[in-house]
Amino acid sequence: MGITGSIARRRITVAALFVVGVVAGCASGSQAQPDRTTAVVTTTAPSTPSGVPDLDAGEEIVGDIAVPWGLAFLPDGDALVAERDTGRILRVRPGRAPEQVYEVPGVVARGESGLLGLAVARDYAETRYVYAYFTAADDNRIVRLRLDGQSEVIFDGIAKANTHDGGRIAFGPDGMLYVGTGDAGDGGRAQDPASPNGKILRLTPDGAAAPGNPTPGSPVYSLGHRNVQGLAWDQAGRLFAAEFGQNAFDEINLIEPGRNYGWPAVEGVGGADRGFTDPQIVWKPAEASPSGIAIAGDTLYVAALRGERLWTVPLHDGTLGTPQSRIPDLGRLRTVAIAPDGGLWLTTSNTDGRGDVRAGDDRIIRFPAR
């Protein structure tokens, strides 16, 4: 699938849809009840929008992109978008055709693996560094690259599989690089402190274990995760993560250093009495399968793959409220991100082998800030 599709920015009709029966998520991990049958960087920094995204004013920026996955913004507001299966990085800006600016060497795409998360260095204006998480021949790894130069591996040895590869990377407010990984199909890895799989990792921009991590010299920030594909910080610097469940519950977790989130011993709530940390919100996989997340102001946005919708969740002092279902007419949603101008960018994922492909898929939709 090429990148030469329509660049006429088509207006997208998006009707707000509140799902009756959705139960508030809270610190005890309330369950959102399913209404249909059917996985943060989502953000590269804490969200600092100029306004609230207008979800009733969606506008297509570009279509015909092959399995867009990672999305990160350059300082000028242009976006870099990773094509999972091709290994290409595209530069996307409203009103112009997408431009291929890099092809990551050595990408091996099978199943859910390939070129996944992207992050732009905080000091990009000086260093020109872009970071990418991808699946290679033997493992998942992170490279640092310049769009006009070579790439260098800064972290490797993350076990790979056709599923559960994680892949989100994001720079936190502390300037460190956070990495969401999956268990690569082996739940035991999530509880093994020596394995980088089933974890959220915290690295320096050079790929070393960050100072101040729970265990000195270890990159592990939190453990007990099945498959983390969403990372976002609120205005107070609290980290939230989206996690795919197995058959029972998907999760949004408030991440704290050194905490164990229970997989595979527990899925969803019910692990607190065994020393695990319960999620703030759970969904049935049929209504969620949450991949990318982003935070703008006092709202958490969750892109749902199998659930084929955008969830919006009120956020107050680190606690999540009642989820609301929005934008149910675009199919599978992979990534949501807040642009420097406060607009919300949303990517579909209908060409990933599990969706119903529609004319123009896959596409990027922009919702401007009010």
Side-chain angles (χ1 to χ4, degrees), residues 26 28 32 54 91 229 268 317 319 326:
C26 61
S28 62
D54 185 353
R91 186 167 186 153
Q229 287 194 6
D317 290 337
T319 299
R326 303 292 304 272

Side-chain angles (χ1 to χ4, degrees), residues 314-359:
L315 175 62
H316 179 70
D317 290 337
T319 299
L320 298 174
T322 304
Q324 184 175 1
S325 177
R326 303 292 304 272
I327 315 175
D329 53 356
L330 294 174
R332 291 165 62 83
L333 303 181
R334 170 72 66 182
T335 296
V336 59
I338 305 299
D341 65 359
L344 183 146
W345 289 41
L346 183 64
T347 74
T348 68
S349 193
N350 295 316
T351 62
D352 64 3
R354 296 186 176 180
D356 296 322
V357 181
R358 313 165 188 210

Side-chain angles (χ1 to χ4, degrees), residues 26-37:
C26 61
S28 62
S30 300
Q31 176 184 349
Q33 300 298 321
D35 71 309
R36 64 190 297 177
T37 300

Side-chain angles (χ1 to χ4, degrees), residues 29-112:
S30 300
Q31 176 184 349
Q33 300 298 321
D35 71 309
R36 64 190 297 177
T37 300
T38 354
V40 328
V41 218
T42 309
T43 55
T44 57
S47 301
T48 54
S50 58
V52 177
D54 185 353
L55 297 185
D56 295 317
E59 189 174 54
E60 182 177 315
I61 293 176
V62 66
D64 292 317
I65 299 179
V67 197
W69 213 102
L71 189 157
F73 291 98
L74 296 170
D76 64 3
D78 289 357
L80 298 178
V81 177
E83 287 189 325
R84 186 191 69 183
D85 293 353
T86 68
R88 298 187 298 184
I89 298 176
L90 311 179
R91 186 167 186 153
V92 174
R93 68 191 74 180
R96 298 190 185 183
E99 173 192 4
Q100 180 180 327
V101 291
Y102 202 86
E103 184 170 346
V104 177
V107 172
V108 177
R110 296 192 182 97
E112 296 175 1

Side-chain angles (χ1 to χ4, degrees), residues 31-214:
Q31 176 184 349
Q33 300 298 321
D35 71 309
R36 64 190 297 177
T37 300
T38 354
V40 328
V41 218
T42 309
T43 55
T44 57
S47 301
T48 54
S50 58
V52 177
D54 185 353
L55 297 185
D56 295 317
E59 189 174 54
E60 182 177 315
I61 293 176
V62 66
D64 292 317
I65 299 179
V67 197
W69 213 102
L71 189 157
F73 291 98
L74 296 170
D76 64 3
D78 289 357
L80 298 178
V81 177
E83 287 189 325
R84 186 191 69 183
D85 293 353
T86 68
R88 298 187 298 184
I89 298 176
L90 311 179
R91 186 167 186 153
V92 174
R93 68 191 74 180
R96 298 190 185 183
E99 173 192 4
Q100 180 180 327
V101 291
Y102 202 86
E103 184 170 346
V104 177
V107 172
V108 177
R110 296 192 182 97
E112 296 175 1
S113 64
L115 177 58
L116 304 176
L118 295 178
V120 171
R122 287 293 192 83
D123 56 354
Y124 178 84
E126 292 77 36
T127 65
R128 319 301 285 182
Y129 282 139
V130 174
Y131 294 74
Y133 181 116
F134 76 96
T135 311
D138 298 318
D139 59 7
N140 288 303
R141 53 183 55 190
I142 302 167
V143 295
R144 182 169 63 183
L145 59 92
R146 293 187 176 96
L147 298 178
D148 60 354
Q150 301 296 314
S151 64
E152 59 175 329
V153 177
I154 65 164
F155 194 91
D156 58 9
I158 305 168
K160 72 169 198 171
N162 285 348
T163 59
H164 304 189
D165 287 291
R168 292 291 175 185
I169 56 176
F171 280 100
D174 57 0
M176 298 296 108
L177 182 66
Y178 290 74
V179 182
T181 71
D183 66 8
D186 180 352
R189 294 186 176 114
Q191 292 296 324
D192 179 0
S195 170
N197 287 82
K199 310 294 193 300
I200 293 176
L201 310 178
R202 179 173 174 266
L203 309 174
T204 69
D206 294 327
N213 280 356

